[in-house]
Amino acid sequence: MALRFLGIDPDSPTDESPTIWLHEETGDLLIQWYRATDAEVGSCKEVGSIPGHSTDVPDNETIIRLPAAMLAFLPAQQVHHTAGREERAAPGA
């Protein structure tokens, strides 16, 4: 797996390491962060997403809270519209 380190929260304590990596082949982001609190997860469930979509969080997923300071490490995405659908180019592509 080809990963590239993007950044670490500059305000994180030495023994904690909120971090973002980029999977260079797929453009996916791998994010190590603090889990959202039960109250935050509850709020997400109340707000929901799209009609008919479950608000449950499956066992293989979690909700994280990404502080605004970490947004600077997110790579820009290029969106291409092809035959009526969006295709996202991998960062750096």
Side-chain angles (χ1 to χ4, degrees), residues 21-91:
W21 299 268
L22 170 70
H23 188 290
E24 293 188 317
E25 295 168 8
T26 65
D28 292 346
L29 296 174
L30 288 86
I31 302 174
Q32 176 182 337
W33 202 255
Y34 305 111
R35 291 179 187 257
T37 65
D38 289 342
E40 291 167 330
V41 171
S43 293
C44 290
K45 288 181 176 186
E46 286 177 24
V47 171
S49 58
I50 61 173
H53 199 274
S54 173
T55 59
D56 291 334
V57 180
D59 290 341
N60 65 325
E61 296 180 6
T62 190
I63 295 175
I64 63 169
R65 181 179 28 85
L66 186 66
M70 295 296 286
L71 295 177
F73 298 117
L74 297 178
Q77 293 283 318
Q78 295 179 353
V79 179
H80 303 281
H81 295 276
T82 307
R85 63 184 179 138
E86 289 184 356
E87 294 181 355
R88 296 194 181 274

Side-chain angles (χ1 to χ4, degrees), residues 9-20:
D9 181 359
D11 296 325
S12 65
T14 302
D15 59 346
E16 296 179 13
S17 53
T19 308
I20 298 177

